[in-house]
């Protein structure tokens, strides 16, 4: 669906994106994660044909972004960081205009409108002027205009920005419900959003891809990075509470690369321990404990490895750890 | 054509829904009336044709002002509010955006300008002028307004701030007009060359006398075409920034 090859974008002398290469298949939901200024919006704007790369090539749906932007525009629905809505228009009037701009006939818009209003939760306010709506509802109108023409590719730049917690949950549900119907690209500086909605993550820092893949793949890639990230990933542990003797527990868990970092005894014959391992050890731990005939009470992972990586990302400066350079997309 | 029609419809709807369109329209009509009263009508007896000529002279200036004011929100405001993204990510050409925006503002400006026709009609109460003179005068006024609006559309494409856009278009129009007095104090052939670009003083004077000159119509047509072409090129170049 999308092929990006060696794309760089400079604003004057400042690089916004440097030598970016990645591919996105049809039907995927991919999240661009990075701090403000990491190059997320610039990348999405280039994919939407709003900007041309300084160098490199972008193909969307088989069309070249430089020579055939109009063909690409037929395929995409784009929601920028501020929803592009005309405040004086009514919701349905605006969506009709957006649909007609995307070459839909009046009949097609009429047929599509109820589905879009229903999906985006705008059915109750369809005849309200947009200027009277709250920020959360305007954001929904923004998504509605991006999906009215059933685009193959939906590009959402910071879709949860400025929303309150309830609206964030609703927006997350909405984006999830759109998976499968469209290929979705979204950006966020909030890890939790990307983690919960996307199949694949691209971590950007200073215009470069630092890691890409599923959550586990990203964590693995980060392990291969210089010290800063490795430490962050390695800090992760799993909390286990088991009813049984200390020796039995130790024996049961002496398998693979499981390491018991800490073991304390609690009342009622319960052992509380922190376990560390290369991959997610929960399945292995559960299997070992049950097979040893011990009672498994708790099995929880500490904050996600990705979160550790991301926190580390935000704290590292321009030192070695922040510029691994060799990450492949 | 379909896309241009879509944009015109949306723009006209927006003029009717927002107070700014009414406000500018009312201000223009008020100015027409005030200037007619102040300069065209006097206590002394004068020829009806002179009254009409003076009305058309000031009417041209008011229409230019209207053109500048109506043009400011065309493209600059879209960028200011971020709604330009909707247009630029849709399969629609930059020239269609510019034309749609321009024609919508032109229809509104024409509507307001033609609404002032009751003023020259008042001349018939105590005098007599030819309807042809009024028609030629209004054609000139509309062409002058259309050319100013096109220059303003170009200025509006250059900035994202509607306020700067209005200053910029006033500056462009003012500079073209300033070429006339500059031409008067310089030697030929500069007199002719400089004077040629003055939209009001040079090319509108025949219309004020009720005369239709093809060269003036061609001049206005060229200004409109070049300004809109330049605005389109500015929009197209935004992708390269």
């Amino acid at each position: 669906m999308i092929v990006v090859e060696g794309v760089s974008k400079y604003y004057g002398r400042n690089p916004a994106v440097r030598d970016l290469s990645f591919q996105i298949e049809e039907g995927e939901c991919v999240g661009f994660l990075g701090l403000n200024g990491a190059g997320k919006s610039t990348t999405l704007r280039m994919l939407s044909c709003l900007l041309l790369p300084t160098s490199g090539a972008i193909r969307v749906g088989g069309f070249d972004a430089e020579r055939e932007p109009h063909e690409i525009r037929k395929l995409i629905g784009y929601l920028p960081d501020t929803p592009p809505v005309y405040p004086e228009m009514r919701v349905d009037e605006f969506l009709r205009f957006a649909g007609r701009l995307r070459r839909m006939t009046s009949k097609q818009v009429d047929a599509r409108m109820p589905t879009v209003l229903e999906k985006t939760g705008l059915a109750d306010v369809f005849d309200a002027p947009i200027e009277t709506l709250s920020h959360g509802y305007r954001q929904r109108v923004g998504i509605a205009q991006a999906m009215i023409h059933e685009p193959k590719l939906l590009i959402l730049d910071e879709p949860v920005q400025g929303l309150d917690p309830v609206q964030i949950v609703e927006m997350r549900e909405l984006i999830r419900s759109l998976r499968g119907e469209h290929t979705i690209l979204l950006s966020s500086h909030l890890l939790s959003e990307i983690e919960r909605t996307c199949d694949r993550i691209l971590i950007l820092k200073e215009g470069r891809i630092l890691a890409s893949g599923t959550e586990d793949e990203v964590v693995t890639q980060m392990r291969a990075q210089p010290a800063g990230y490795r430490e962050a990933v390695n800090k992760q542990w799993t909390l286990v509470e088991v009813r049984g003797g200390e020796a039995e527990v130790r024996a049961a868990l002496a398998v693979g690369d499981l390491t018991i970092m800490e073991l304390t005894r609690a009342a009622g014959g319960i052992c509380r321990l922190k376990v560390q391992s290369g991959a997610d050890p929960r399945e292995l731990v559960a299997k070992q404990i049950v097979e040893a005939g011990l009672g498994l009470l708790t099995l929880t992972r500490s904050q996600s490895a990705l979160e550790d990586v991301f926190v580390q990302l935000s704290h590292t400066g321009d030192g070695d750890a922040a510029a691994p350079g060799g990450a492949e997309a | 054509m379909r896309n241009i029609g879509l944009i015109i419809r949306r723009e006209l709807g927006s003029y009717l829904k927002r107070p700014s369109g009414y406000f500018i329209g009312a201000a223009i009509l008020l100015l027409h009336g005030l200037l007619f009263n102040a300069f065209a009508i006097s206590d002394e007896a004068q020829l009806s044709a002179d009254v009409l000529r003076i009305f058309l002279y000031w009417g041209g200036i008011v229409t230019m002002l209207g053109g500048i004011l109506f043009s400011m929100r065309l493209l600059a405001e879209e960028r200011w509010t971020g709604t330009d993204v909707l247009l630029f990510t849709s399969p629609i050409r930059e020239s269609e955006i510019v034309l749609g925006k321009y024609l919508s503002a032109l229809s509104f400006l024409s509507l307001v300008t033609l609404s002032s026709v009751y003023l020259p009609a008042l001349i018939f109460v105590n005098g007599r002028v030819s309807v042809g003179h009024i028609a030629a005068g209004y054609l000139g006024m509309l062409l002058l307004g259309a050319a100013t609006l096109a220059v303003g559309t170009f200025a509006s494409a250059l900035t994202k701030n509607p306020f700067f856009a209005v200053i910029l278009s006033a500056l462009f129009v003012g500079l073209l007009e300033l070429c006339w007095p500059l031409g008067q104090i310089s030697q030929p052939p500069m007199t002719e060359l400089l004077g040629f670009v003055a939209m009001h003083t040079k090319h509108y004077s025949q219309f004020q006398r009720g005369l239709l000159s093809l060269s003036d119509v061609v001049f206005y047509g060229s200004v409109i075409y070049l300004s809109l072409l330049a605005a389109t090129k500015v929009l197209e170049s935004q992708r390269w920034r």
Side-chain angles (χ1 to χ4, degrees):
Chain A
M1 183 79 197
I2 299 177
V3 181
V4 172
E5 280 169 354
V7 163
S8 298
K9 177 72 188 174
Y10 284 77
Y11 294 118
R13 285 185 171 185
N14 299 327
V17 166
R18 289 185 277 191
D19 198 24
L20 216 59
S21 295
F22 59 85
Q23 287 198 14
I24 290 167
E25 303 303 325
E26 198 158 341
E28 271 193 295
C29 178
V30 178
F32 286 77
L33 179 66
L35 301 176
N36 293 331
K40 307 184 297 285
S41 290
T42 302
T43 308
L44 295 186
R45 287 174 80 85
M46 286 193 289
L47 291 173
S48 319
C49 298
L50 281 171
L51 284 177
L52 276 174
T54 314
S55 62
I58 295 176
R59 292 183 76 78
V60 179
F63 298 107
D64 183 80
E66 188 176 337
R67 284 179 285 116
E68 302 158 295
H70 287 278
E71 296 304 319
I72 294 180
R73 287 172 188 172
K74 288 179 197 165
L75 302 177
I76 60 166
Y78 176 60
L79 171 69
D81 46 6
T82 39
V85 293
Y86 293 103
E88 74 277 5
M89 289 178 102
R90 291 197 323 258
V91 172
D92 57 342
E93 200 179 23
F94 172 70
L95 294 179
R96 177 171 297 280
F97 174 65
R100 301 275 285 140
L101 269 186
R102 272 71 166 263
R103 307 204 170 174
M104 293 173 85
T105 62
S106 280
K107 276 189 180 170
Q108 285 171 324
V109 176
D110 286 337
R112 174 81 173 144
M113 186 78 81
T115 318
V116 172
L117 290 175
E118 182 68 39
K119 274 222 150 162
T120 48
L122 290 167
D124 296 338
V125 294
F126 76 95
D127 58 350
I130 296 174
E131 59 198 346
T132 62
L133 299 180
S134 67
H135 178 71
Y137 270 98
R138 282 185 195 208
Q139 197 77 356
R140 289 174 193 216
V141 177
I143 291 208
Q145 64 77 24
M147 59 184 275
I148 181 94
H149 55 305
E150 298 184 76
K152 282 189 170 174
L153 174 63
L154 209 51
I155 300 177
L156 311 172
D157 195 358
E158 304 272 3
V160 298
Q161 194 168 32
L163 300 184
D164 67 35
V166 176
Q167 292 169 336
I168 288 183
V169 173
E170 288 171 352
M171 185 59 74
R172 198 183 290 150
E173 290 305 317
L174 171 60
I175 295 172
R176 274 192 195 150
S177 75
L178 296 174
R179 284 168 55 165
E181 285 176 41
H182 314 263
T183 305
I184 303 178
L185 294 189
L186 63 93
S187 76
S188 181
H189 56 271
L190 298 175
L191 171 80
S192 49
E193 284 323 302
I194 302 275
E195 232 180 348
R196 288 177 207 188
T197 29
C198 300
D199 312 318
R200 194 144 75 88
I201 305 163
L202 280 168
I203 299 189
L204 289 178
K205 184 177 164 87
E206 291 169 0
R208 289 198 165 100
I209 294 183
L210 213 56
S212 104
T214 60
E215 187 180 340
D216 283 342
E217 284 165 4
V218 166
V219 171
T220 315
Q221 285 173 35
M222 290 316 232
R223 270 179 220 285
Q225 302 290 347
Y229 301 126
R230 196 162 53 232
E231 279 168 22
V233 175
N234 287 347
K235 268 193 293 187
Q236 201 186 16
W237 40 265
T238 303
L239 175 73
V240 190
E241 282 184 330
V242 185
R243 194 185 303 281
E246 187 180 330
E248 294 163 289
V249 173
R250 282 191 187 276
L253 295 181
V255 57
D257 66 343
L258 287 183
T259 318
I260 297 173
M261 295 157 66
E262 196 181 308
L263 193 151
T264 48
R265 293 209 60 94
I270 293 172
C271 285
R272 187 173 290 141
L273 54 153
K274 284 183 181 174
V275 179
Q276 219 181 23
S277 132
D280 183 354
R282 283 176 297 183
E283 271 177 61
L284 181 64
V285 169
K287 181 169 163 278
Q288 289 299 112
I289 302 242
V290 172
E291 278 180 2
L294 302 168
L296 180 59
L297 302 176
T298 306
L299 189 57
T300 322
R301 235 179 163 194
S302 68
Q303 65 175 352
S304 83
L306 204 52
E307 195 159 345
D308 273 336
V309 168
F310 196 57
V311 167
Q312 189 69 21
L313 259 180
S314 36
H315 290 304
T316 39
D318 289 342
D320 290 344
E328 289 295 323
Chain B
M1 273 316 283
R2 173 187 174 276
N3 290 335
I4 297 174
L6 264 178
I7 294 188
I8 293 180
R9 270 205 300 283
R10 199 213 75 77
E11 288 287 315
L12 287 180
S14 153
Y15 279 118
L16 296 176
K17 276 185 187 169
R18 300 179 357 159
S20 62
Y22 292 101
F23 185 76
I24 298 176
I28 289 171
L29 283 177
L30 181 69
L31 267 178
H32 272 302
L34 285 176
L35 293 169
F36 182 72
N37 191 40
F39 297 106
I41 297 177
S42 71
D43 296 335
E44 294 164 23
Q46 57 180 342
L47 291 172
S48 297
D50 283 340
V51 176
L52 182 56
R53 194 178 47 75
I54 296 169
F55 162 76
L56 288 173
Y57 175 85
W58 290 106
I61 292 176
V62 173
T63 309
M64 287 174 92
L65 188 70
I68 290 171
L69 291 176
F70 277 123
S71 68
M72 73 173 168
R73 52 174 296 267
L74 288 183
L75 299 163
E77 197 185 66
E78 292 267 353
R79 282 158 78 186
W80 183 255
T81 54
T83 44
D84 59 332
V85 171
L86 175 67
L87 300 176
F88 294 135
T89 53
S90 299
I92 167 169
R93 293 182 191 288
E94 282 80 357
S95 54
E96 292 174 323
I97 298 174
V98 169
L99 264 180
K101 292 260 172 191
Y102 173 74
L103 290 176
S104 64
L106 182 60
S107 18
F108 208 72
L109 179 67
S110 305
L111 184 75
V112 174
T113 304
L114 290 173
S115 306
S116 70
V117 80
Y118 74 96
L119 289 167
L122 285 175
I123 298 173
F124 287 108
V125 175
N126 281 318
R128 178 177 282 187
V129 282
S130 91
V131 176
H133 189 172
I134 298 180
Y138 267 85
L139 177 67
M141 219 192 299
L142 289 177
L143 282 171
L144 182 62
T148 313
L149 196 61
V151 172
T153 305
F154 169 60
S156 186
L158 291 175
T159 168
K160 67 182 255 184
N161 185 328
F163 182 67
F164 286 153
V166 88
I167 291 181
L168 212 56
S169 56
L171 203 69
F172 287 162
V173 173
L175 280 175
L176 290 179
E177 223 37 57
L178 196 66
C179 286
W180 178 262
L182 281 178
Q184 297 305 303
I185 56 166
S186 49
Q187 302 292 322
M190 291 308 285
T191 314
E192 273 295 301
L193 277 176
L194 282 171
F196 186 73
V197 296
M199 293 201 292
H200 186 281
T201 325
K202 164 84 180 160
H203 296 279
Y204 181 52
S205 57
Q206 299 282 55
F207 290 106
Q208 290 169 46
R209 291 194 214 103
L211 301 170
L212 200 67
S213 117
L214 186 65
S215 68
D216 293 331
V217 175
V218 170
F219 171 81
Y220 287 129
S222 313
V223 170
I224 293 169
Y225 176 74
L226 289 176
S227 301
L228 296 184
L229 184 69
T232 305
K233 293 294 164 197
V234 170
L235 292 193
E236 282 172 0
S237 74
Q238 279 175 9
R239 288 183 72 210
W240 298 88
R241 282 176 192 169

